Amino acid sequence: MGRVKTIARRSFLIGSAAVAGGVVFGTYLYKREGENPLLDGLKPGETAITPYVKIDAQGITLITPRADVGQGAWSMQAHMIAEELDIDPRSAKLSPGPADAIYYNGVVGAEALPIAATSDTMLARGGRGAVDVMGKLMGLHITGGSSTVPDMYDRLRMAGAVARETLIKAAMKQTGLPRDQLGTENGCIVLPDGLKIEYIDLASIAAEIEPVQDVTLRDPSEWRYLTKPQKRTDIVAKSTGRQIYGIDMQMDGMVIATTRTNPAIGGGLNGFDAEAARQMRGVSAVLPITGGIAVVADNTWRAFQAAQAVECDWGPSPYIGDSADQFAAVAASFTDDHRDSRFKDEGDVEEALQDASVVEAEYRIPYLAHAPMEPMSVVVKLTEGRLDIWTGTQIPRFVKANMARLTGLDGDDIHVHVLMSGGSFGRRLEDDYIGQAVEIAMQMPDTPIKMIWQREEDFTHDFPRPLAIARGRGAVADAGIAAFDLSIAAPSVAESSLARLNQPAFGPDVAIVAGAWDQPFQIPNYRVTGYRTPAMVPISSWRSVGASGNGFMHESFMDEMCHAAGVDPLQERLRLCWHDASRKVLEAVGEMSEWGSDLGPNRGRGLAFTLAFGVPVAEVVEVTNTPDGIRIDKVFVAADVGRVLDPVNFEAQLQGGVIFGLGHAMNCELTYRDGVAEQENYHAYEGMRLHQTPLIMVRGLENGDKIGGIGESAVPPAAPALANAIFAATGQRIRELPLSKSIDFV
């Protein structure tokens, strides 16, 4: 209970105000008070309790400000509030709330620091604290980096507890009973005789009393929802086809638009001929936008067809246009003047390699598209002095700022309504498609416009996961790894994506070496160096960011070094691993997979481990080498998030991450010719098919000292575990993704 009381003491009340017979109060992490955005526009009879709880005559609304892109974020946030508020989360309405600084993310920025998740030094704690303060000062309302649960775990439970205790205090005033005779149950105050007072009947009284400032969070032994198998709040709607995504948004008088911009990335539009398109049925307008054209029609199909009928004279791309030349630019970046970081430099690598038999290898990973199932779509309406935007986005406040610059409106006059997304994998950290829709709206004011990209537009205008090359050098001694030197060259995600958000990028880009430099292995001579390739095509974060590729390169080389030393890959990792939670994850996956047992002929196991986003994950892949190609039979996954708040979603996220990682490792790449992406749709970018999906067994451990997120951490080990399994089954070492360039899969 010591930690719980500490949280209570460092939490401060936002304040209270009587509103329409109700009350507004809440918690904040710092002494400086924040404004509750739910106060704006409250109707008679409505009450906002903290920035996360709103009550009206119809019931309770829980504010879940981290975006839901399919990972269950809204459901998880609702459960955290509901646990302390003592309501059934499925009985409440959920809302992402407005785009507001009070919903800042104080955790996500820590991934940009050169501080290992395993570090608990004073400097590390101070750095994370500074990031939290900076997130608040910037109003960093953003979803990403598997940060939803780590960032909101304390804040949402505190918000629920403050609301609960203040409502109890209101009941004390109404009934005259002391606190120890009152309880709560499913949205009601319970009196000693069993009578119940609903929360909604106490709001007006709560407005007249001093809010409770010191609350105690419930002991986990009292939890009804957290850590128990849960039914996600969206599961019924999604299972029955009733879930409303951004693309489903409808409004009276709405028209449909689509856009075509230069397929050569960054190229301009010299001119266009839209005469044929304007004559097509249902087409109402063909409009110029930055770098291309927009077509407005009465339905999606007609807009798509007309857009293809516009004859465009495109300019060339300003970037390196062909994949071979792009990789050549990366290969040329292993020089001192391109060196970006060296966060890991232990022992004397050069001395250790000087007199040893050196093991050398080079690994390559390609650009990867985000390719979410729901294509980029948005509804916008621009009226005099006001812009409304309805879309699935992870950056609502950045959207406001960027659209303010585009339209000249004040940010307060731009209203972003966040909707559920049909996938993202990082794509909805961008707002380029929103800008296009707003450009259309500026030419068609007072008209609701739904802009939907064609799938081909989505692929060819993605901001992909960057390509990269890693070069490994190592040495063995005394039947173990003695030296491990990994150099990684890649373009900077931070430099590219922050520029589009009009934010500066300072210092080294940790993403270039993430998932490699910060691994918990005590190798005597251990070095990881990052090299920054000059910018090529614009890039962005992709599920697990830098670790997505670095996990493959680091763990593939680790496997090669184990075999060069003649040691078992699991036992050597255990020997080298100094981090207790990581060791236990490795031990667990070894036990689950019966590591070391004989699989029989033409079969093999591969192991990989990656600590990313503070979560250690180990995976073992079993494969069979059939006459028709590699068959993936089983995958075993062990992960430690400190505390598993929802076992059902935990398992689903790990399984989904494995499938995502394996599918991309097997088949996917984005290549360019003359600046144009060559893969335009799923037929050319095929992930794992249903018949290829293996049995995936999951185990969650709770040995970590901090709570972690699980949306991304299962992705990095998947590719190297598969590649290492292929080596075990066939003797073929594959060092370039996708693996299908070197071997067939069945």
Side-chain angles (χ1 to χ4, degrees), residues 135-433:
K136 179 184 176 183
L137 295 176
M138 293 177 62
L140 199 62
H141 185 173
I142 187 171
T143 304
S146 295
S147 63
T148 292
V149 170
D151 181 57
M152 303 299 271
Y153 179 61
D154 289 336
R155 289 161 67 186
L156 293 184
R157 291 185 302 132
M158 284 296 299
V162 166
R164 180 194 74 229
E165 290 301 317
T166 306
L167 289 165
I168 290 175
K169 189 173 182 180
M172 291 166 60
K173 182 175 181 180
Q174 180 175 355
T175 65
L177 294 170
R179 171 66 181 86
D180 61 6
Q181 292 189 27
L182 298 176
T184 60
E185 181 181 337
N186 285 335
C188 297
I189 305 296
V190 182
L191 307 184
D193 59 3
L195 291 177
K196 297 179 181 179
I197 306 173
E198 292 191 36
Y199 287 169
I200 60 176
D201 295 329
L202 291 166
S204 60
I205 300 174
E208 302 171 358
I209 63 175
E210 187 69 22
V212 175
Q213 299 189 40
D214 190 16
V215 299
T216 300
L217 297 178
R218 290 179 166 176
D219 188 86
S221 64
E222 301 173 5
W223 285 350
R224 297 175 55 202
Y225 301 109
L226 298 181
T227 71
K228 312 297 191 298
Q230 301 165 15
K231 181 190 291 185
R232 270 173 45 170
T233 57
D234 58 5
I235 195 66
V236 174
K238 286 185 173 179
S239 299
T240 58
R242 292 182 291 163
Q243 179 64 55
I244 300 299
Y245 296 92
I247 203 168
D248 299 318
M249 181 70 183
Q250 297 291 331
M251 295 182 67
D252 292 339
M254 187 174 72
V255 296
I256 305 297
T258 196
T259 64
R260 273 182 68 202
T261 51
N262 195 328
I265 301 299
L269 175 64
N270 299 323
F272 66 94
D273 181 354
E275 187 60 31
R278 289 191 175 101
Q279 301 303 315
M280 296 176 71
R281 182 182 178 188
V283 174
S284 57
V286 179
L287 306 170
I289 60 169
T290 302
I293 57 95
V295 171
V296 181
D298 59 358
N299 68 35
T300 306
W301 176 250
R302 290 170 182 167
F304 284 2
Q305 294 299 105
Q308 295 305 313
V310 179
E311 297 182 7
C312 297
D313 179 14
W314 303 119
S317 171
Y319 304 108
I320 297 175
D322 292 344
S323 289
D325 295 332
Q326 292 165 348
F327 269 112
V330 178
S333 298
F334 290 95
T335 61
D336 288 342
D337 58 333
H338 287 105
R339 181 171 141 183
D340 189 63
S341 68
R342 182 169 283 169
F343 303 133
K344 171 80 73 176
D345 191 4
E346 298 172 353
D348 189 336
V349 170
E350 294 299 334
E351 177 67 24
L353 294 174
Q354 187 172 9
D355 298 323
S357 177
V358 177
V359 178
E360 295 185 279
E362 181 176 283
Y363 306 90
R364 295 189 173 210
I365 60 170
Y367 287 113
L368 289 176
H370 295 89
M373 186 63 68
E374 179 193 9
M376 299 298 101
S377 62
V378 58
V379 174
V380 298
K381 185 177 181 181
L382 179 64
T383 56
E384 186 174 353
R386 180 184 175 108
L387 173 64
D388 284 275
I389 300 168
W390 293 267
T391 191
T393 179
Q394 297 168 244
I395 52 168
R397 292 198 75 231
F398 284 114
V399 169
K400 289 181 65 169
N402 284 348
M403 297 311 117
R405 280 184 283 270
L406 178 60
T407 61
L409 292 173
D410 187 272
D412 291 338
D413 296 320
I414 297 175
H415 303 269
V416 180
H417 311 274
V418 179
L419 304 175
M420 185 168 282
S421 302
S424 170
F425 315 116
R427 184 60 177 89
R428 297 180 198 278
L429 290 165
E430 305 288 340
D431 64 1
D432 51 325
Y433 64 102

Side-chain angles (χ1 to χ4, degrees), residues 31 275 296 383 426 472 570 577 583 612 671:
K31 292 182 179 180
E275 187 60 31
V296 181
T383 56
L570 174 60
C577 184
R583 282 185 55 85
T671 59

Side-chain angles (χ1 to χ4, degrees), residues 359 408 455 525 623:
V359 178
R455 182 68 66 188
N525 305 283
V623 303

Side-chain angles (χ1 to χ4, degrees), residues 481 484 521 523 554-562 573:
I481 300 173
F484 190 101
F521 298 116
I523 300 171
H554 184 280
E555 285 299 281
S556 291
F557 190 53
M558 181 70 78
D559 198 69
E560 291 205 46
M561 291 302 302
C562 289
R573 284 176 175 84

